[in-house]
C-alpha cells in the first residue's frame, strides 16, 4: 500500500478497548485467551499448565466488576477459532465461576455449554475449579455448578452424547460418572436418562430397565448404538470388529487396545478418521504395514489427502500439512521409534495437499511486509519440528504472499535488503533454494566471538525492514520478521522506528518478530501493544499473527 500523504495516525478504538498503543488489561486478557500468557511473547515451548499468578489482568478486571467484558471475550476466543488452544479460555471461565460477584458467576455458568463443547473441555473446567478452590478457599459443588452440569448433559443431542460418553469416558482425574453423581443430574428426557443410567450403572442395568418396554424412537436409536459399542468392547474377532466400525462409524477411542493390532481395523478406521489425525499418523500407519506401496489403502488415502472437498471440510492449514510431511519424511518417530520408509506416492499427495490447502487460509485484508533475515544457519531445525529454518521461512512467506493480496517479501542481512518474489507457480523447494541462494550471493557470514560483538554493535537488526518501508513510502499494517539468527533479538530496538513509520504513514503498524531458533528472548521491555515476539514457530503462530493484525490481541 502506497502512502496517501497523511502524516498523522488514524488509530482508533478497537476490540481491545485501547485508543493508543498502551497495553490495557483487556489487551492482556485477550493475549492470555489467545496463547496462555499476558506477556508480549508467544513461545512454542510454553504449552504447559496454566497458573493463577499469570492472570493478573484477568483478576484486575474481575475486581473492577468487568466480568461481563471478560466473559464476552472468553466466548469469542472459544467459539471463533481465535485461540491457539482452548485451555486458557476454560481456565478463565472457571475463575469467573468462582468470582464473588453474583452476576459474573451466573453468566460464567450460563456460558459453560458454549465454551466447553466436548467432554474433555468439561473435565478440564472441573479440574481448574478444584485447583482454584485450593487457592481461593471456596467450595465448588454448589447449586449453580450442579445446575450448569445438568444443563450441559440435558441439552445435548442424545446420539451425540452417547458417542461422546463412549469416546471420552474420563480425563484429568474426572469421569462422566463422577459428574453425573455429584451434580445430581435429573435427566430431562428418556434418551438422556438411558445414557445416564448406562454411565452410572452399566449396560446390564440398561438392558433390564428397557427390556419388554415400549420405547420411543430416540431411545431405540440410543439403545442400538450402545449395544454396538458394548459388542465391539467384548469382541476378539477381527472381521466382526471391522464390520461394526464400518456399519456404525465407530472411532478409535471406542475400541480396545488389542483391536488396534489388526491391520484391517486400521483400514476400516481410515475411511472416516478426521484428516487432521490421518496426516499426523502417517508414520505409524506405514510402520504398521497398514499403508504399503501400491495397496488399495494407500491409494484411498492419497486420493483423500488430495481431495479439495476433504481438505476444505477439514479446514486444514497448509502449515499443518508441511509439518506432517517433514515428520513423515524423517522416517522415524520420537527417539527413533517406530521406524518406516516414507512412501513416495504419499509424499506426492501431501505435496499436492499443501498447495491446495491454501484455500483454507482466510485473508485478513492487511498490508504485510515479510522480511527474512538469513544471517544465521539456514539448515538449522525449528525446535519441536522436522523442518529447517530456511524452509519454514519460505513457507511462512509463501502462505502470506499467496493469501494476502498486499504482501511484500524481503530478504536482508547487515549489508543488504532485496525484494524477494514468490510467483504463483513457485514450489516451496524453489522458494527455499532461492532464499538460501540469495544469502550465498551476499557472502557467508563470519562466526566467532569477534563477529558476535561486531554484529551486536553495528547491526540495525529488525529496524531495517521498517526503515525500508518508510523510505519507500509503503503504509504497512504488519511487519513479520523471520530470523534464523538468535543474535538479531539482541540488536537495536525497533520501537522508535515503528513509531516513526506510524507517524509518517498514518498506518496502525504492528511488528511481529519471529525467532525461528526459539531462544525465548522478547524484543525488549516495551509497553507498545503493537509489538509481539514469537519464539519458535508452529501452527499457533499463524493465529497469533492473524489476531494481532486484526487488533484482537
Amino acid at each position: 500500500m502506497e502512502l496517501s500523504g497523511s502524516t498523522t495516525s488514524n488509530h482508533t478504538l478497537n476490540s481491545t478497548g485501547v485508543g493508543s498503543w498502551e497495553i490495557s488489561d483487556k489487551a492482556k486478557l485477550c493475549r492470555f485467551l489467545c496463547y496462555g500468557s499476558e506477556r508480549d511473547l508467544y513461545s512454542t515451548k510454553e504449552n504447559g499448565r496454566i497458573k493463577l499468578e499469570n492472570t493478573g489482568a484477568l483478576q484486575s478486571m474481575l475486581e473492577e466488576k468487568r466480568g461481563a467484558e471478560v466473559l464476552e471475550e472468553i466466548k469469542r476466543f472459544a467459539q471463533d477459532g481465535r485461540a491457539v488452544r482452548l485451555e486458557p479460555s476454560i481456565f478463565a471461565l472457571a475463575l469467573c465461576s468462582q468470582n464473588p460477584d453474583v452476576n459474573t458467576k451466573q453468566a460464567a455458568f450460563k456460558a459453560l455449554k458454549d465454551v466447553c463443547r466436548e467432554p474433555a473441555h468439561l473435565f478440564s473446567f472441573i479440574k481448574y475449579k478444584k485447583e482454584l478452590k485450593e487457592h481461593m478457599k471456596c467450595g465448588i459443588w454448589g447449586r449453580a455448578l450442579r445446575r450448569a452440569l445438568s444443563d450441559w448433559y440435558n441439552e445435548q443431542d442424545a446420539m451425540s452424547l452417547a458417542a461422546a460418553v463412549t469416546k471420552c469416558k474420563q480425563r484429568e482425574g474426572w469421569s462422566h460418572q463422577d459428574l453425573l453423581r455429584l451434580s445430581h443430574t435429573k435427566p430431562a428426557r428418556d434418551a438422556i436418562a438411558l445414557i445416564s443410567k448406562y454411565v452410572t450403572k452399566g449396560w446390564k442395568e440398561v438392558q433390564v430397565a428397557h427390556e419388554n418396554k415400549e420405547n420411543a424412537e430416540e431411545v431405540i436409536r440410543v439403545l442400538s448404538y450402545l449395544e454396538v459399542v458394548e459388542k465391539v468392547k467384548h469382541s476378539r474377532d477381527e472381521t466382526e470388529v471391522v464390520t461394526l466400525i464400518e456399519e456404525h462409524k465407530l472411532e478409535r477411542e471406542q475400541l480396545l487396545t488389542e483391536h488396534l493390532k489388526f491391520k484391517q481395523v486400521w483400514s476400516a478406521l481410515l475411511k472416516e478418521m478426521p484428516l487432521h489425525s490421518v496426516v499426523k499418523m502417517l508414520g505409524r500407519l506405514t510402520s504398521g504395514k497398514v499403508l504399503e506401496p501400491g495397496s488399495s489403502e494407500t491409494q484411498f488415502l492419497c486420493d483423500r489427502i488430495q481431495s479439495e472437498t476433504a481438505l476444505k471440510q477439514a479446514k486444514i492449514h497448509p502449515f499443518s500439512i508441511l509439518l506432517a510431511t517433514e515428520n513423515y519424511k524423517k522416517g522415524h518417530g520420537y527417539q527413533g521409534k517406530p521406524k518406516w520408509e516414507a512412501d513416495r506416492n504419499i509424499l506426492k499427495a501431501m505435496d499436492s495437499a499443501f498447495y491446495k490447502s491454501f484455500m483454507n487460509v482466510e485473508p485478513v485484508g492487511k498490508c504485510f511486509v515479510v522480511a527474512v533475515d538469513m544471517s544465521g544457519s539456514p539448515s538449522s531445525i525449528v525446535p519441536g519440528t522436522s523442518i529447517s529454518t530456511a524452509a519454514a521461512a519460505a513457507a511462512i512467506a509463501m502462505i502470506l504472499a499467496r493469501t494476502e493480496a498486499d504482501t511484500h517479501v524481503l530478504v536482508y542481512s547487515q549489508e543488504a535488503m532485496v525484494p524477494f518474489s514468490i510467483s504463483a507457480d513457485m514450489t516451496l523447494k524453489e522458494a527455499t533454494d532461492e532464499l538460501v541462494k540469495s544469502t550465498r550471493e551476499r557472502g557467508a557470514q563470519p562466526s566467532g566471538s569477534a563477529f558476535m560483538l561486531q554484529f551486536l554493535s553495528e547491526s540495525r537488526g529488525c529496524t531495517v525492514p521498517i526503515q525500508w518501508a518508510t523510505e519507500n513510502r509503503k503504509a504497512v499494517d504488519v511487519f513479520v520478521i523471520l530470523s534464523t539468527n538468535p543474535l538479531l533479538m539482541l540488536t537495536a530496538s525497533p520501537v522508535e522506528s515503528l513509531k516513526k513509520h506510524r507517524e509518517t504513514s498514518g498506518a496502525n503498524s504492528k511488528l511481529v518478530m519471529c525467532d525461528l531458533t526459539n531462544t525465548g528472548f522478547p524484543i525488549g521491555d516495551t509497553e507498545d501493544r503493537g509489538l509481539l515476539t514469537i519464539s519458535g514457530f508452529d501452527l499457533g503462530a499463524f493465529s497469533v499473527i492473524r489476531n494481532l493484525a486484526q487488533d484482537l490481541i
Side-chain angles (χ1 to χ4, degrees):
M1 181 188 298
E2 298 293 339
L3 296 190
S4 61
S6 172
T7 58
T8 58
S9 173
N10 59 1
H11 189 247
T12 55
L13 284 171
N14 50 54
S15 65
T16 56
V18 185
S20 67
W21 295 101
E22 177 186 346
I23 305 174
S24 68
D25 280 344
K26 191 168 183 180
K28 290 179 181 178
L29 166 68
C30 291
R31 285 179 180 176
F32 174 78
L33 296 175
C34 178
Y35 53 86
S37 172
E38 295 181 351
R39 298 177 62 200
D40 57 356
L41 170 66
Y42 168 63
S43 174
T44 57
K45 290 179 180 177
E46 296 177 7
N47 281 325
R49 296 182 68 82
I50 299 167
K51 299 179 181 178
L52 184 63
E53 52 263 37
N54 295 335
T55 59
L58 169 56
Q59 294 182 67
S60 293
M61 290 182 70
L62 293 178
E63 289 170 6
E64 295 167 4
K65 308 295 184 183
R66 297 169 64 189
E69 284 183 74
V70 172
L71 286 162
E72 189 64 30
E73 291 302 330
I74 290 172
K75 287 190 287 185
R76 283 179 183 171
F77 273 85
Q79 294 175 321
D80 295 349
R82 298 177 184 176
V84 172
R85 56 194 182 110
L86 198 57
E87 288 295 302
S89 293
I90 297 173
F91 183 92
L93 185 68
L95 188 59
C96 288
S97 75
Q98 304 282 78
N99 193 263
D101 180 70
V102 176
N103 291 332
T104 298
K105 183 182 293 186
Q106 289 178 344
F109 284 123
K110 188 176 180 181
L112 180 65
K113 59 183 176 294
D114 298 321
V115 177
C116 300
R117 297 184 295 277
E118 299 176 10
H121 305 156
L122 194 64
F123 295 142
S124 290
F125 177 75
I126 299 299
K127 175 194 71 171
Y128 287 133
K129 281 190 69 68
K130 184 180 179 182
E131 291 176 359
L132 290 168
K133 173 189 173 184
E134 296 170 2
H135 285 282
M136 305 170 79
K137 298 181 180 178
C138 59
I140 68 169
W141 290 105
R143 185 182 301 172
L145 176 60
R146 295 199 302 271
R147 186 186 302 116
L149 287 176
S150 295
D151 290 345
W152 191 92
Y153 285 102
N154 279 322
E155 293 175 12
Q156 299 282 338
D157 169 76
M159 286 300 292
S160 297
L161 182 61
V165 300
T166 54
K167 285 192 291 184
C168 182
K169 299 177 184 178
Q170 58 185 18
R171 194 76 59 87
E172 307 291 354
W174 295 92
S175 67
H176 289 290
Q177 187 174 24
D178 296 328
L179 301 193
L180 288 167
R181 175 176 56 83
L182 291 167
S183 64
H184 308 303
T185 294
K186 294 181 180 179
R189 56 192 196 276
D190 289 345
I192 303 299
L194 187 163
I195 295 168
S196 178
K197 184 179 285 291
Y198 174 75
V199 169
T200 56
K201 302 292 185 180
W203 175 240
K204 288 185 178 180
E205 289 278 347
V206 169
Q207 286 179 304
V208 170
H210 289 273
E211 66 181 354
N212 302 322
K213 183 179 178 182
E214 189 173 336
N215 297 304
E217 185 179 341
E218 184 181 44
V219 171
I220 292 172
R221 287 201 306 272
V222 172
L223 268 173
S224 299
Y225 183 80
L226 294 178
E227 184 178 15
V228 168
V229 172
E230 285 296 308
K231 192 172 184 179
V232 82
K233 275 169 54 178
H234 294 90
S235 178
R236 299 297 183 272
D237 184 280
E238 180 180 0
T239 302
E240 182 180 43
V241 172
V242 168
T243 301
L244 292 171
I245 291 170
E246 291 178 339
E247 289 183 356
H248 302 280
K249 295 182 174 15
L250 298 181
E251 298 185 35
R252 180 175 46 145
E253 294 82 2
Q254 294 168 306
L255 306 182
L256 300 177
T257 302
E258 62 186 79
H259 292 156
L260 301 179
K261 297 175 183 177
F262 300 136
K263 175 181 174 180
Q264 291 306 315
V265 167
W266 279 106
S267 297
L269 288 171
L270 270 178
K271 295 175 183 177
E272 298 292 337
M273 188 181 291
L275 202 55
H276 285 91
S277 300
V278 171
V279 299
K280 290 178 181 178
M281 296 185 65
L282 290 174
R284 178 177 176 179
L285 294 170
T286 304
S287 173
K289 306 299 181 183
V290 178
L291 300 175
E292 295 186 285
S295 69
S296 58
E297 289 84 3
T298 299
Q299 185 59 53
F300 171 81
L301 182 69
C302 289
D303 291 342
R304 189 179 173 205
I305 287 173
Q306 297 176 86
S307 165
E308 290 189 10
T309 302
L311 288 168
K312 195 168 187 176
Q313 185 177 8
K315 298 180 181 178
I316 196 163
H317 195 281
F319 204 71
S320 285
I321 298 285
L322 178 61
L323 292 174
T325 302
E326 294 304 313
N327 281 334
Y328 184 58
K329 280 182 185 176
K330 190 169 59 175
H332 61 81
Y334 179 66
Q335 293 184 337
K337 294 181 180 179
K339 293 184 178 181
W340 62 85
E341 184 175 342
D343 184 282
R344 62 185 181 85
N345 288 325
I346 293 176
L347 288 174
K348 187 177 178 181
M350 290 289 282
D351 187 60
S352 172
F354 172 73
Y355 300 105
K356 288 180 180 179
S357 62
F358 278 59
M359 65 182 173
N360 291 331
V361 182
E362 187 179 348
V364 296
K366 302 291 184 179
C367 176
F368 283 82
V369 162
V370 182
V372 184
D373 160 55
M374 296 296 291
S375 59
S377 170
S379 61
S380 59
I381 301 298
V382 177
T385 76
S386 302
I387 186 172
S388 71
T389 52
I396 297 162
M398 178 177 282
I399 290 168
L400 287 171
R402 289 192 181 177
T403 58
E404 298 293 342
D406 195 2
T407 297
H408 308 271
V409 181
L410 309 169
V411 180
Y412 79 103
S413 67
Q414 285 175 275
E415 293 82 8
M417 165 79 74
V418 294
F420 184 78
S421 176
I422 297 180
S423 61
D425 59 349
M426 181 179 279
T427 66
L428 179 59
K429 184 180 185 305
E430 288 170 344
T432 304
D433 291 344
E434 283 297 315
L435 277 179
V436 175
K437 180 182 175 183
S438 65
T439 305
R440 289 173 180 164
E441 286 176 350
R442 294 197 305 271
Q445 293 287 348
S447 59
S449 57
F451 164 65
M452 290 183 184
L453 290 172
Q454 181 185 3
F455 187 93
L456 291 172
S457 62
E458 296 179 4
S459 177
R460 294 177 293 161
C462 46
T463 66
V464 178
I466 304 171
Q467 291 169 359
W468 173 88
T470 305
E471 291 166 4
N472 286 275
R473 299 179 61 78
K474 301 287 185 185
V476 178
D477 295 307
V478 186
F479 292 93
V480 179
I481 299 180
L482 308 171
S483 175
T484 61
N485 187 350
L487 290 177
L488 192 73
M489 305 302 293
L490 305 176
T491 58
S493 170
V495 176
E496 291 306 316
S497 293
L498 191 62
K499 285 180 179 178
K500 181 179 178 182
H501 183 74
R502 288 169 181 162
E503 292 168 0
T504 304
S505 67
N508 300 327
S509 305
K510 305 172 186 72
L511 170 65
V512 183
M513 184 69 205
C514 302
D515 171 18
L516 299 178
T517 60
N518 203 348
T519 57
F521 294 122
I523 293 174
D525 253 344
T526 171
E527 290 301 310
D528 191 310
R529 188 178 50 81
L531 275 73
L532 276 179
T533 302
I534 294 176
S535 184
F537 207 92
D538 59 8
L539 182 60
F542 278 101
S543 294
V544 174
I545 294 171
R546 182 181 183 84
N547 284 327
L548 185 68
Q550 294 180 304
D551 284 323
L552 298 176
I553 58 175

